[in-house]
Amino acid sequence: MLIFMQAAQYVRQHLPQDFTPHIALILGSGLGDLANQLQVVAKLPYTDIPGFFQSTVAGHAGNMIIGYLSGKPVICLQGRVHLYEGAELAHIRTFILTLHYLCG
């Protein structure tokens, strides 16, 4: 099984069965606090998600926050990773493909 599918499977195990996000957001510098506005149904640290690289940049919390924003089901990456942190393109691709796979 591809790593992004493993990641998505792990995330789905922590969601209510009827929850399908329609919007995916990657919250970089200065945007991480947007996740605090969600009605949260799940909060998963990147370190728990298969294939996810932990960000080391200040202000990038390294959490997947899932919930409702203005009544819409959303999934947020609270922080992103950078190549200068030691991440590889495969790590970045895993983030994007996991979000794509999770959004109905």
Side-chain angles (χ1 to χ4, degrees):
M1 180 182 295
L2 298 172
I3 192 67
F4 75 89
M5 294 175 82
Q6 292 175 12
Q9 183 178 35
Y10 175 85
V11 171
R12 282 197 177 119
Q13 292 172 352
H14 293 84
L15 298 178
Q17 282 190 348
D18 61 343
F19 186 90
T20 301
H22 296 287
I23 301 167
L25 303 168
I26 300 174
L27 307 175
S29 299
L31 296 174
D33 286 339
L34 178 64
N36 297 330
Q37 297 179 25
L38 270 67
Q39 178 187 355
V40 176
V41 298
K43 179 179 178 178
L44 305 171
Y46 293 169
T47 54
D48 292 351
I49 303 171
F52 270 48
F53 187 90
Q54 179 63 48
S55 177
T56 60
V57 174
H60 291 231
N63 295 305
M64 181 181 284
I65 311 292
I66 303 158
Y68 295 92
L69 181 63
S70 298
K72 304 288 184 196
V74 301
I75 187 167
C76 295
L77 296 184
Q78 193 178 31
R80 57 191 177 93
V81 297
H82 305 84
L83 297 175
Y84 64 78
E85 296 177 88
E88 298 177 8
L89 289 176
H91 294 119
I92 296 167
R93 185 174 49 244
T94 297
F95 276 64
I96 302 301
L97 290 174
T98 301
L99 292 176
H100 177 74
Y101 198 72
L102 288 167
C103 289

